[in-house]
Amino acid sequence: RGGRVRRRGTMKKAVKTLGAQFKASLTSLMETLNSTFPHFVRCMKPNGDKAGNKFMSAMMLDQLRYAGLLEVCRIRKLGFPVRRTFEDFFKRYRCIAPATRSFDELVRTMGTDTMPLKAGQWAKGHTKIFMKNEQASELDLAREQAFRLVAMRCQRIIRGFICRTKYRIWQNTLRELAAAQKARDLDALEYWLDMADEVPHKGVHLRVVQTGRVLQQRLSEERRIEGMMATASEARDLNQLRSAVAAAAAMSPPLESAAVAAAKEVLARLEIEEALKQDLVHAISARDKARLGALLARADEIGMEDCEELAQASALKARIEEEEETVAALRAAIAARDLTALSAYLSKTSEMGLGVPEVEEGRRLQATLQAEAAARSAVSTAAAASDLASLEAALSKAAALGL
């Protein structure tokens, strides 16, 4: 209509045919196979009973024969089944002839009579070398032997290095052990004796180790005894110090050191102090003032530390001196017939608990002086009162007292 021509579309969507689908699937499968290294596994029945741990060799041989595997093995044995590129062959077997620098040189070297590459057992292609199984096995065996020789050389070098290092360590240990013995250093001696256990047979056959162990015992005993001395000296324990000094003298040879000399000085001082303490005890028991004074002066002279015996002796000496002063004052009061002083000193002697004869004498005199004072007072009172009877009685009493 109107001169316009209308065209209808005739194009349809392309559809894959069955052949095209099969071709695409086959192409995909071939690409997958070519990109991998397939291995085929054939399953064999070990027995006809379908039982475990039961193997029938005749049945297995029949299956291998029927599957054609024996024929495949025979064919592979007749051909050259082992195939390696020149580069792979050179890298793998160069260890058999390490001096070679190329594949051709390696093949020439390995083709000699003493080498494992045998004529007729291999063939060289354009890019690969072909070998029979026997030839490949011989090459692998030669390769393992080459590795073994290299490993042995490495072991020889390493073991030599280890032995030389150990030997130097052992020599240094013995030198240090001898130096520790010379210095008589117990800590260093114990350390290097422990290190000497690494020497063959623990060094029991070496004289330096033998003398070191003997010296170790000696120094350990010396340290123990010196420790006892230090503890006893610090605690001023006379008995323990005597035991330690005796142990030092009993050693063979006897222990002589600055610590022993100091311990002996402390021991001598302690013995002097102990004897002085015993003398002080006897002087205290005897209440000997002169002896106490001499012993206290001796203690002060040697700088004796404060102790119970010194305190008791000092207190007793002061008490005796006080008692003597009190008795002397009492005697003076008796001689002066001083009632006031006499009463005061009698009271003091009573407080001190003195029982000397002067106390009894003083008490008698005190009573007399008190009676005389009372008589005088009575006479004075009677005279002042002009009382004849009282005055006569007071005078009679005064006459009786000898006034």
Side-chain angles (χ1 to χ4, degrees), residues 229-384:
M229 290 178 178
T231 303
S233 298
E234 183 178 357
R236 300 182 67 82
D237 188 334
L238 181 61
N239 293 328
Q240 187 177 0
L241 194 56
R242 283 174 177 168
S243 299
V245 171
M251 294 184 69
S252 179
L255 175 59
E256 296 292 341
S257 65
V260 176
K264 288 181 178 179
E265 291 180 1
V266 175
L267 177 61
R269 181 183 178 84
L270 290 178
E271 288 177 343
I272 292 174
E273 291 182 357
E274 184 67 19
L276 190 57
K277 288 178 182 179
Q278 296 297 326
D279 292 341
L280 284 173
V281 170
H282 295 318
I284 290 171
S285 300
R287 293 178 62 87
D288 188 340
K289 176 187 172 183
R291 182 63 174 164
L292 285 174
L295 292 175
L296 289 173
R298 173 61 175 164
D300 185 64
E301 179 184 349
I302 65 174
M304 183 175 176
E305 295 183 358
D306 293 337
C307 61
E308 184 179 356
E309 290 82 0
L310 274 178
Q312 291 179 357
S314 298
L316 180 59
K317 182 174 178 293
R319 174 62 180 261
I320 292 174
E321 290 175 348
E322 185 181 6
E323 289 177 356
E324 290 179 347
E325 291 176 358
T326 302
V327 172
L330 180 60
R331 289 173 182 167
I334 291 172
R337 296 178 66 83
D338 185 346
L339 179 59
T340 303
L342 185 62
S343 298
Y345 287 117
L346 283 175
S347 177
K348 188 175 182 180
T349 56
S350 178
E351 292 175 358
M352 296 176 66
L354 293 178
V356 294
E358 287 82 355
V359 174
E360 293 299 327
E361 182 182 356
R363 285 175 181 171
R364 290 193 297 268
L365 180 59
Q366 181 187 30
T368 300
L369 293 177
Q370 287 175 348
E372 290 178 355
R376 289 192 181 93
S377 179
V379 170
S380 298
T381 302

Side-chain angles (χ1 to χ4, degrees), residues 22-95:
F22 178 75
K23 182 179 179 181
S25 176
L26 182 60
T27 302
S28 175
L29 177 61
M30 292 305 297
E31 290 177 354
T32 303
L33 291 176
N34 290 330
S35 64
T36 59
F37 298 93
H39 296 275
F40 299 95
V41 178
R42 294 180 181 272
C43 297
M44 301 293 176
K45 294 181 180 179
N47 58 75
D49 300 333
K50 297 183 179 180
N53 298 324
K54 184 177 180 181
F55 184 84
M56 299 175 64
S57 59
M59 183 176 177
M60 288 294 296
L61 183 61
D62 291 339
Q63 292 181 78
L64 293 174
R65 185 179 293 111
Y66 296 153
L69 293 180
L70 296 180
E71 187 65 18
V72 170
C73 292
R74 187 183 68 80
I75 293 173
R76 284 181 62 86
K77 188 175 180 180
L78 293 175
F80 298 90
V82 181
R83 304 167 186 179
R84 297 187 181 280
T85 63
F86 294 160
E87 182 180 2
D88 183 24
F89 183 88
F90 179 71
K91 289 180 179 179
R92 182 174 179 83
Y93 298 112
R94 186 189 178 189
C95 58

Side-chain angles (χ1 to χ4, degrees), residues 173-218:
T173 298
L174 297 180
R175 284 195 300 270
E176 294 294 339
L177 181 58
Q181 293 181 36
K182 185 176 181 180
R184 296 179 64 84
D185 186 343
L186 179 59
D187 295 331
L189 188 62
E190 290 177 345
Y191 174 79
W192 290 112
L193 281 175
D194 290 339
M195 292 295 293
D197 288 341
E198 301 298 328
V199 177
H201 310 294
K202 295 186 176 182
V204 295
H205 58 292
L206 300 175
R207 183 165 183 79
V208 65
V209 177
Q210 297 170 357
T211 56
R213 297 198 182 281
V214 173
L215 182 58
Q216 179 191 21
Q217 296 177 357
R218 167 81 185 199

